[in-house]
């Protein structure tokens, strides 16, 4: 029994590494693309569209919807826990350090959205699809950073994490505003009441999961029933979780939860979502069609070009105006490399494409997201390796 527990613990530790999370995400994406473009594509579609859950609670969702509404809530809960920890006791506790990724995230949302609107003007669906290039994929971006940037300052990872979480929160806010087909005020009140109860229990130092798990599930159900995208429940719960350790505790609740849920997020939630979101038709005709479709071109240009211009421009302006400082040990060239990595939209961009478009238009937009994310990750890898070597040379000479 002891050996079995040690094996499980070791496997969980392995899943917590960002490199492994990135590899699993890539593997799930590759499997989705191969499966959806194979003679077994019918089985893929049938599984993705299979409906499960109690209809009485309006939870008879497809497997694909369970992946993007349910599993991504776990992913955003874990990301929210890490962000709050950095804001309260980490590098972002300093106001000027915290301002930079927030300003950069705003620039990285506004410019890509503007480019998508300009390039895709006049196309059906652009009124909502402009939001597709707004987001940065946290898991994918951090995985690429872990693989390619071992010599870079740790502050850059915090900058990228904060930027990605902030613009994903922005994307979720856009989802809440644009894609709420109906709003159930009673369910929204129930969600707020459950969140208030969660915060009260945190304040009273209650630790039993027998209370927290039903509250978390109930909050997710209430947010979903309210008509708001259910991933918001994960973010809200994370931001209400206590991050400071009391003198009698080995670790704070936020760190404990992050430690326990990170393997599930990296090993199950994100890969399963990718498996059911990334299965789009990819062939010569489909790829050539991307460069003839203004909406798809707007998505790709927004991610690959708009992200860099928005993040670097906003960051430089904030530093020049002295409202922010560069990350510790890093400079403008490092920010450029990270900004290119910001063009990896993937998870949330695929989610918005699913929500904003239907049929062939949705498939085109998702293919554009995949191609743009691949391009951005490859370009960023080259730049990050070069910057990593430059920092290693400077350390050696120093």
């Amino acid at each position: 029994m002891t050996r079995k527990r040690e094996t499980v613990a070791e496997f969980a530790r392995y899943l917590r590494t960002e490199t492994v999370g990135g590899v699993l995400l890539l593997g799930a994406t590759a499997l989705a693309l191969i499966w959806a473009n194979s003679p077994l594509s019918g089985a893929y579609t049938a599984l993705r569209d299979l409906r499960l859950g109690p209809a009485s609670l309006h939870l008879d969702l497809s497997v694909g919807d369970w992946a993007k509404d349910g599993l991504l809530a776990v992913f955003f809960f874990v990301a929210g826990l890490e962000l709050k920890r950095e804001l309260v006791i980490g590098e972002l506790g300093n106001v000027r350090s915290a301002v930079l990724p927030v300003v950069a995230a705003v620039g990285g949302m506004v410019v890509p959205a503007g480019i998508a609107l300009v390039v895709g003007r006049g196309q059906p669906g652009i009124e909502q699809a402009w939001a597709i290039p707004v987001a940065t994929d946290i898991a994918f971006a951090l995985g690429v950073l872990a693989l390619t940037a071992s010599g870079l300052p740790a502050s850059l990872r915090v900058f990228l994490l904060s930027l990605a979480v902030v613009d994903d929160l922005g994307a979720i806010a856009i989802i809440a505003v644009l894609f709420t087909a109906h709003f159930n005020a009673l369910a929204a009140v129930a969600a707020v009441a459950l969140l208030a109860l969660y915060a009260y229990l945190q304040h009273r130092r209650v630790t039993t999961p027998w209370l927290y798990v039903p509250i978390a599930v109930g909050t997710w159900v209430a947010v979903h029933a309210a008509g708001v995208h259910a991933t918001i429940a994960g973010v809200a719960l994370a931001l209400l979780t206590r991050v400071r350790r009391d003198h009698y505790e080995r670790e704070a609740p936020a760190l404990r939860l992050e430690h326990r849920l990170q393997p599930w997020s990296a090993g199950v939630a994100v890969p399963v979502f990718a498996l059911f979101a990334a299965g789009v038709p990819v062939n010569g005709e489909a790829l050539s069609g991307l460069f003839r479709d203004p909406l798809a071109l707007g998505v790709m240009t927004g991610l690959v070009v708009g992200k860099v211009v928005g993040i670097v421009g906003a960051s430089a302006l904030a530093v020049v105006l002295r409202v922010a400082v560069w990350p510790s040990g890093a400079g403008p060239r490092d920010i450029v490399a990270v900004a290119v990595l910001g063009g990896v939209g993937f998870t949330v961009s695929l989610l918005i494409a699913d929500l904003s478009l239907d049929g062939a238009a949705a498939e085109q937009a998702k293919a554009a997201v995949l191609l743009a994310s691949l391009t951005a990750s490859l370009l960023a890898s080259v730049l990050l390796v070069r910057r990593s070597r430059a920092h290693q040379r400077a350390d050696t000479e120093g």
Side-chain angles (χ1 to χ4, degrees):
M1 181 63 74
T2 301
R3 181 174 297 179
K4 183 178 179 180
R5 286 178 180 173
E6 290 176 353
T7 302
V8 171
E10 180 64 21
F11 183 63
R13 185 197 62 77
Y14 183 66
L15 286 176
R16 286 187 195 100
T17 62
E18 286 157 357
T19 306
V20 174
V23 169
L24 288 174
L25 181 57
L26 285 172
T29 304
L31 176 59
L33 288 169
I34 293 169
W35 193 357
N37 291 276
S38 74
L40 298 175
S41 59
Y44 174 84
T45 304
L47 178 59
R48 184 190 62 196
D49 297 339
L50 177 66
R51 302 190 76 82
L52 302 169
S56 58
L57 296 175
H58 303 289
L59 292 176
D60 52 333
L61 308 176
S62 69
V63 172
D65 286 337
W66 275 112
K68 70 185 180 186
D69 287 359
L71 292 179
L72 278 192
V74 177
F75 164 68
F76 276 108
F77 180 71
V78 173
L81 287 174
E82 186 165 0
L83 175 63
K84 184 174 181 183
R85 186 159 49 81
E86 290 295 341
L87 284 169
V88 176
I89 58 175
E91 289 202 24
L92 299 180
N94 178 289
V95 174
R96 294 183 73 198
S97 297
V99 164
L100 187 68
V102 173
V103 171
V106 172
M109 289 187 282
V110 173
V111 176
I115 288 176
L117 277 171
V118 170
V119 176
R121 67 187 182 279
Q123 292 297 301
I126 192 61
E127 301 84 1
Q128 293 177 312
W130 58 265
I132 294 173
V134 162
T136 295
D137 187 280
I138 302 170
F140 206 139
L142 290 178
V144 172
L145 188 71
L147 285 167
T148 59
S150 58
L152 288 178
S155 60
L156 278 175
R157 182 193 174 281
V158 177
F159 171 80
L160 177 61
L161 170 70
S162 308
L163 182 154
V165 170
V166 170
D167 73 10
D168 278 356
L169 290 178
I172 289 176
I174 291 170
I175 289 170
V177 173
L178 292 183
F179 308 115
T180 299
H182 67 281
F183 183 74
N184 186 323
L186 186 61
V189 169
V192 172
L194 286 168
L195 288 170
L197 176 59
Y198 181 91
Y200 174 75
L201 293 174
Q202 285 287 298
H203 177 70
R204 298 296 296 177
R205 301 314 195 250
V206 176
T207 59
T208 174
W210 295 105
L211 283 174
Y212 285 120
V213 172
I215 290 172
V217 173
T219 302
W220 182 90
V221 171
V223 171
H224 185 275
V228 181
H229 198 267
T231 51
I232 291 177
V235 177
L237 289 166
L239 295 179
L240 292 172
T241 303
R242 187 163 54 87
V243 296
R244 292 190 186 277
R245 180 178 68 87
D246 286 332
H247 65 88
Y248 56 83
E249 294 179 307
R250 292 183 57 189
E251 53 189 8
L255 186 61
R256 184 168 63 251
L257 285 168
E258 187 183 334
H259 185 79
R260 291 180 179 177
L261 292 177
Q262 176 63 30
W264 291 101
S265 174
V268 178
V270 175
V272 171
F273 168 78
L275 177 65
F276 291 110
V280 297
V282 177
N283 51 46
E285 183 179 349
L287 289 175
S288 64
L290 294 179
F291 297 94
R292 297 193 300 267
D293 180 3
L295 193 148
L297 278 173
V299 170
M300 290 189 289
T301 310
L303 283 171
V304 177
V305 178
K307 278 290 184 182
V308 181
V309 174
I311 292 171
V312 175
S315 299
L317 182 63
V319 173
V320 168
L321 295 177
R322 298 187 178 182
V323 297
V325 294
W326 297 119
S328 176
R333 293 182 182 181
D334 302 313
I335 297 299
V336 171
V338 171
V340 176
L341 192 53
V344 181
F346 207 76
T347 307
V348 181
S349 291
L350 290 175
L351 174 61
I352 297 176
D354 253 339
L355 295 172
S356 61
L357 300 168
D358 295 311
E363 300 300 304
Q364 282 281 87
K366 288 162 75 173
V369 169
L370 292 174
L371 183 58
S373 297
L374 175 62
T375 302
S377 62
L378 292 175
L379 289 173
S381 296
V382 173
L383 293 174
L384 288 167
V385 167
R386 292 184 64 181
R387 294 306 304 153
S388 184
R389 289 174 179 171
H391 277 274
Q392 288 171 337
R393 280 198 305 272
D395 290 342
T396 301
E397 292 169 1

